[in-house]
Amino acid sequence: YLRLMRYSKQWYQRRVRGFPQGPSYVRFKAEVYFDTDTITDNYLKNLDTASLLKEVRAIETEQDLQAFMNHQSTHLIDTLALEVDRLEYLIKRKYPEVRHVDLELL
């Protein structure tokens, strides 16, 4: 399992472990660090940045800023969750005996 997780531009692993849970069942556990710049870049790829810039320029009060940041952070967390789901899928596809994937974000 150590060969599956490797350094990439988006993430790198620490402490990868596989725990046999039966004759054909393995639990996979890893600590994963995500590169925040890459996650942000992935998020921005799916946005109309001109529209986003208009929203930023329209911020006039602290309440406006709070509302804008709440909206953006929700979408950034969704982007991170999609990346975690993608990694879980890749692990299970490469190692079909893995039934449970536990990724801890650092």
Side-chain angles (χ1 to χ4, degrees):
Y1 297 106
L2 293 174
R3 289 186 214 138
L4 176 68
M5 306 286 280
R6 64 185 184 283
Y7 178 82
S8 77
K9 187 175 179 187
Q10 294 182 345
W11 53 270
Y12 71 85
Q13 58 78 24
R14 290 180 51 188
R15 295 189 192 151
V16 176
R17 298 179 185 161
F19 301 97
Q21 301 291 311
S24 63
Y25 173 66
V26 174
R27 188 180 71 172
F28 181 93
K29 183 174 182 174
E31 294 177 351
V32 181
Y33 168 82
F34 286 92
D35 179 65
T36 55
D37 292 337
T38 304
I39 295 296
T40 302
D41 290 344
N42 288 344
Y43 170 61
L44 290 174
K45 285 179 190 175
N46 297 319
L47 290 180
D48 174 15
T49 52
S51 172
L52 184 63
L53 189 56
K54 286 180 187 175
E55 287 182 49
V56 169
R57 288 181 177 151
I59 296 173
E60 295 180 359
T61 66
E62 287 184 19
Q63 291 79 15
D64 293 344
L65 177 61
Q66 181 70 39
F68 175 80
M69 292 305 298
N70 286 341
H71 178 76
Q72 295 306 314
S73 65
T74 298
H75 292 294
L76 279 167
I77 295 297
D78 290 344
T79 301
L80 186 57
L82 288 172
E83 186 63 21
V84 168
D85 290 345
R86 187 184 74 81
L87 287 174
E88 289 176 353
Y89 168 77
L90 290 173
I91 292 165
K92 287 180 177 181
R93 188 178 77 189
K94 183 161 179 128
Y95 300 102
E97 66 273 17
V98 171
R99 301 276 194 259
H100 177 78
V101 177
D102 181 14
L103 299 178
E104 182 179 333
L105 304 183
L106 299 178

